[in-house]
């Protein structure tokens, strides 16, 4: 198995990093990963933070007269409908603590790739409204995905190695897009496409050499339509029968169309390169033809002599 130097998450050549065997662009030797006890410490601190944030939300909702069945962050549409009034009252009374506590909960779910972001987007819309909830959720999505990226880089070597051949297609696409200078547009397409497993992309991104400087903006922009749909749906709770009803087939088709639009710059670049190559090739031929004329004249002149 060939050996290749591992690159840092920022896309630079990590010369200080040890060389590790790679296959399909993915490091399979996880010896460089940080020790398990350090991950346990990070996870423990995260659990303390999210527990404290949940407790803050519960206390603020109790201050507004919410019942014990209503307090806390909803995990389903029915719970959100029941706690909607209490959440809005707590936010109106103490906006900053509610926003901070909600942000901690959202970041925890995104960082550890825990399902449930759809419900949290609905909560953001129902609690903060579209004007505040949408930019808040977009920033939290990008930050949480970046934290997942960094956790995978530090501790996820064995997990990613276990995926093996399953991530080979993604690896090939990423490396091809990077070689063609279209990596950001490919990442944007992957985020816009409604059926992309975002949690998997977050985990494997550092191992297929996706620079975090392109990774984070692609999450921020690529998941904007998805976040917008769900946050706006959160402001119209009474019209929702289920979480999936906010993402009907028409909406999914529109997201898929946006994903295809994200590939247009890639296609235009490819066409421009091919055109430039043809023009430079024809220019070289013309130059070669004109350069051959003097020698032809000389040969004809020598024959006349």
């Amino acid at each position: 198995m060939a050996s290749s130097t591992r690159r840092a998450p920022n896309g630079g050549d990590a010369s200080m990093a040890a060389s590790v065997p790679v296959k399909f662009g993915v490091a399979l030797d996880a010896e460089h990963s940080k020790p398990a006890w350090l991950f346990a410490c990070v996870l423990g601190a995260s659990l303390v933070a999210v527990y404290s944030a949940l407790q803050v939300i519960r206390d603020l909702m109790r201050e507004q007269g919410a019942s014990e069945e209503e307090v806390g962050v909803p995990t389903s549409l029915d719970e959100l409908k029941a706690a909607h009034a209490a959440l809005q009252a707590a936010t109106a009374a103490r906006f900053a603590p509610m926003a901070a506590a909600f942000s901690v909960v959202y970041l925890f779910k995104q960082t550890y790739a825990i399902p449930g972001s759809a419900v949290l987007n609905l909560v953001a819309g129902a609690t903060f409204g579209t004007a505040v909830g949408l930019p808040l959720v977009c920033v939290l999505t990008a930050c949480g995905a970046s934290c997942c990226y960094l956790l995978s880089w530090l501790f996820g070597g064995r997990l990613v190695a276990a995926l093996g051949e399953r991530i080979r297609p993604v690896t090939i696409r990423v490396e091809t897009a990077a070689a063609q200078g279209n990596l950001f547009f490919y990442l944007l397409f992957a985020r816009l496409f409604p059926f992309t497993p975002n949690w998997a992309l977050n985990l494997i991104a550092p191992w297929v050499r996706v620079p975090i400087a392109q990774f984070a903006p692609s999450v921020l922009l690529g998941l904007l339509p998805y976040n917008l749909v769900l946050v706006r749906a959160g402001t119209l709770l009474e019209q929702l029968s289920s979480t999936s009803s906010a993402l009907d087939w028409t909406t999914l088709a529109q997201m898929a169309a946006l994903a295809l639009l994200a590939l247009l710059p890639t296609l235009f670049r490819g066409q421009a390169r091919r055109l430039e190559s043809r023009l430079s090739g024809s220019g070289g031929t013309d130059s070669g033809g004109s350069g051959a004329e003097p020698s032809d004249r000389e040969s004809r002149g020598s024959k006349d002599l």
Side-chain angles (χ1 to χ4, degrees):
M1 189 180 297
S3 179
S4 176
T5 301
R6 177 170 60 92
R7 295 189 181 181
N10 61 6
D13 184 10
S15 57
M16 74 291 293
S19 294
V20 296
V22 298
K23 185 177 182 183
F24 312 129
V26 180
L28 299 179
D29 184 357
E31 291 180 357
H32 76 283
S33 295
K34 302 301 180 182
W37 65 264
L38 183 57
F39 174 73
C41 292
V42 173
L43 177 60
S46 301
L47 289 172
V48 171
V50 75
Y51 176 81
S52 301
L54 289 172
Q55 195 60 43
V56 167
I57 293 175
R58 293 189 187 101
D59 291 342
L60 292 176
M61 294 177 72
R62 289 190 186 102
E63 289 178 3
Q64 304 306 314
S67 63
E68 289 301 315
E69 292 76 15
E70 296 173 344
V71 298
V73 177
T75 58
S76 68
L77 182 60
D78 291 337
E79 291 181 6
L80 177 56
K81 289 181 177 181
H84 182 205
L87 284 169
Q88 286 189 325
T91 302
R94 303 284 296 277
F95 175 81
M98 280 291 291
F102 173 81
S103 298
V104 171
V105 175
Y106 200 105
L107 284 174
F108 179 81
K109 279 184 169 288
Q110 287 288 314
T111 299
Y112 292 95
I114 299 173
S117 62
V119 175
L120 284 182
N121 285 353
L122 292 175
V123 173
T127 305
F128 303 107
T130 303
V132 175
L134 179 60
L136 177 63
V137 163
C138 288
V139 171
L140 292 175
T141 301
C143 291
S146 299
C147 289
C148 184
Y149 175 108
L150 294 174
L151 273 183
S152 176
W153 178 252
L154 293 173
F155 306 107
R158 290 180 176 84
L159 175 61
V160 175
L163 296 175
E165 294 284 340
R166 298 178 186 176
I167 61 174
R168 182 180 181 182
V170 177
T171 303
I172 293 174
R173 292 191 191 102
V174 168
E175 291 183 344
T176 301
Q180 296 174 345
N182 297 319
L183 180 57
F184 178 76
F185 294 109
Y186 171 76
L187 294 175
L188 195 61
F189 163 79
R191 296 298 181 175
L192 286 168
F193 193 67
F195 303 108
T196 299
N198 288 296
W199 64 271
L201 191 56
N202 295 344
L203 285 175
I204 68 174
W207 298 94
V208 292
R209 303 187 180 96
V210 174
I212 197 168
Q214 296 189 43
F215 175 86
S218 71
V219 177
L220 180 67
L221 298 176
L223 291 180
L224 176 61
Y226 172 83
N227 291 333
L228 174 61
V229 169
L230 289 174
V231 169
R232 290 184 63 183
T235 64
L236 305 169
L237 286 180
E238 299 304 322
Q239 301 179 18
L240 292 179
S241 57
S242 65
T243 304
S244 59
S245 64
L247 293 169
D248 56 19
W249 286 106
T250 301
T251 303
L252 293 176
Q254 292 171 348
M255 290 183 180
L258 284 175
L260 294 176
L261 287 176
L263 292 179
L264 288 180
T266 300
L267 299 176
F268 289 148
R269 281 187 176 185
Q271 292 290 341
R273 286 197 186 97
R274 284 190 286 271
L275 179 59
E276 182 180 356
S277 177
R278 290 174 183 173
L279 291 176
S280 61
S282 61
T285 302
D286 294 341
S287 174
S290 61
E293 290 177 359
S295 59
D296 292 341
R297 294 193 191 100
E298 290 177 2
S299 61
R300 286 194 295 270
S302 61
K303 290 179 181 178
D304 294 339
L305 292 174

